[in-house]
């Protein structure tokens, strides 16, 4: 079955008395070269960093356009789909693949570590998905915070605007809390853009496929990750303010004068803004703040 043919997809959905749902961010791929290229990118990178078995987690398989490409490459594919009406559809479209497991859950509600243990044991896992855009950031942060150590890579399609933010450096205007946070876990690569005409229905924006190449050993030494993420969130909470003013609102347990001293002890100008700090800078600052808190 050609899962990128508009007529096939429409009649398939109609046969199961369902349709695309905006509320679940459903924009299905109808340009066959796109799921092919995403799966190739994901699998080739996975194979280059993991010699052992090849497993992949997909979030939101839809009717299975990307899923079938993943099943043709990976040894094991586990997909989590929130929309109950797509479960029988996928039962039909994925019937030929015995390396496929479907889980009908809200990905954001999964207990990720036990889910990964149950489905993949100790095997290295990559993530590959055309993400529902309404929850891109929470999905990415859940993958990184709850499963970061377990994943080899994360290859996902996101809105172009989000991709620009994720790939920005502290010299760019797109740089933000999400950029710094993701940079802590790995390197982000922009792979290719996808035009709205490649989807059913067409979204209003251009999309971009990115890959987060996760560090096996993080290059940063951080005393307390919670302090790091609190400092990053605090630094970007009020973008127009200086780092000192932003942090003195969010890190209320340390007097403002002492935060000022810490900023200069880290080697930063006292008038610097948070958006000028790289993830390495944030780690240095967070470690000093953590030490101060522990005094
Ligand atoms: N992978 C398919 C494709 O590329 O054609 C569909 C991608 S569509 C952009 C996003 C998919 O994510 C939909 O199937 C949608 O139902 C599913 N989805 C939305 N929210 C979800 C959630 N919280 N947990 C799991 N799946 C979700």
């Amino acid at each position: 079955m050609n899962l990128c043919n508009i007529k096939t997809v429409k009649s398939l959905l109609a046969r199961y008395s369902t349709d695309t749902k905006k509320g679940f961010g459903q924009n299905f791929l109808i340009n066959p070269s796109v799921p092919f290229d995403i799966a190739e990118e994901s699998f080739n990178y996975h194979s280059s960093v993991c010699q052992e078995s090849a497993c992949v987690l997909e979030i939101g398989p839809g009717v299975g356009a990307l899923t079938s490409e993943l099943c043709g490459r990976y040894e094991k594919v586990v997909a989590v789909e929130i929309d109950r009406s797509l479960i029988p559809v996928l039962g039909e479209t994925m019937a030929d693949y015995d390396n496929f497991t479907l889980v009908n859950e809200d990905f954001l509600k999964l207990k990720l570590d036990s889910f990964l243990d149950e489905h993949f044991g100790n095997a290295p896992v990559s993530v590959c998905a055309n993400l529902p855009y309404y929850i891109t950031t929470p999905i990415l942060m859940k993958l990184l915070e709850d499963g970061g150590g377990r994943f080899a890579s994360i290859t996902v399609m996101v809105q172009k605007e989000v991709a620009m933010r994720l790939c920005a450096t502290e010299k760019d205007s797109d740089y933000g809390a999400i950029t710094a946070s993701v940079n802590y876990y790995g390197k982000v690569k922009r792979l290719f853009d996808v035009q709205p005409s490649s989807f059913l229905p067409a979204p209003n924006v251009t999309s971009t496929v990115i890959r987060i190449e996760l560090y096996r050993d993080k290059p940063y030494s951080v005393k307390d990750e919670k302090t790091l993420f609190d400092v990053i969130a605090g630094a970007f909470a009020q973008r127009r303010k200086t780092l000192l003013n932003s942090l003195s609102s969010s890190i209320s347990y340390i007097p403002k004068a002492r935060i000022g001293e810490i900023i200069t002890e880290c080697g930063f100008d006292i008038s610097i803004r948070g958006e000028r700090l790289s993830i390495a800078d944030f780690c240095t600052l967070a470690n000093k703040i953590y030490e101060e808190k522990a005094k």
Side-chain angles (χ1 to χ4, degrees), residues 220-234:
Y220 314 108
S221 125
V222 166
K223 297 199 161 117
D224 180 57
E225 287 187 349
K226 184 175 179 321
T227 306
L228 172 67
F229 293 114
D230 285 350
V231 169
I232 293 174

Side-chain angles (χ1 to χ4, degrees), residues 2 33 38 46 66 71 85 124 128 140 173 184 194 211 219 229 234 236 240 245 254 259 262 266 274 279 284 286 293:
N2 181 352
S33 68
I38 298 175
H46 183 100
L66 175 59
C71 286
S85 74
C128 188
L140 285 179
S173 59
Y184 174 67
V194 179
R211 181 171 58 230
F229 293 114
F236 285 98
R240 291 181 188 286
N245 283 336
I254 302 178
I259 294 180
I262 292 174
C266 288
I279 182 59
T284 306
K293 188 164 69 169

Side-chain angles (χ1 to χ4, degrees), residues 2-28:
N2 181 352
L3 294 172
C4 285
N5 179 286
I6 298 187
K7 271 194 183 160
T8 308
V9 174
K10 281 189 172 168
S11 75
L12 182 65
L13 293 174
R15 255 195 302 119
Y16 288 94
S17 307
T18 187
D19 204 347
T20 52
K21 297 191 181 80
K22 210 176 168 189
F24 285 146
Q26 291 179 355
N27 299 97
F28 298 150

Side-chain angles (χ1 to χ4, degrees), residues 3 21 23-30 35 38 58-67 80-83 86 103 105-109 129-135 139 157 199-200:
L3 294 172
K21 297 191 181 80
F24 285 146
Q26 291 179 355
N27 299 97
F28 298 150
L29 281 166
I30 47 158
I38 298 175
E58 184 186 10
I59 300 146
V63 297
L66 175 59
T67 323
V80 181
E81 173 58 61
I82 194 172
D83 184 355
L86 291 176
V103 178
E105 289 278 0
D106 177 345
F107 178 75
L108 292 178
K109 292 191 180 149
N130 168 15
L131 289 180
Y133 293 166
Y134 73 111
I135 44 171
I139 289 180
M157 179 136 60
F199 301 87
L200 173 78

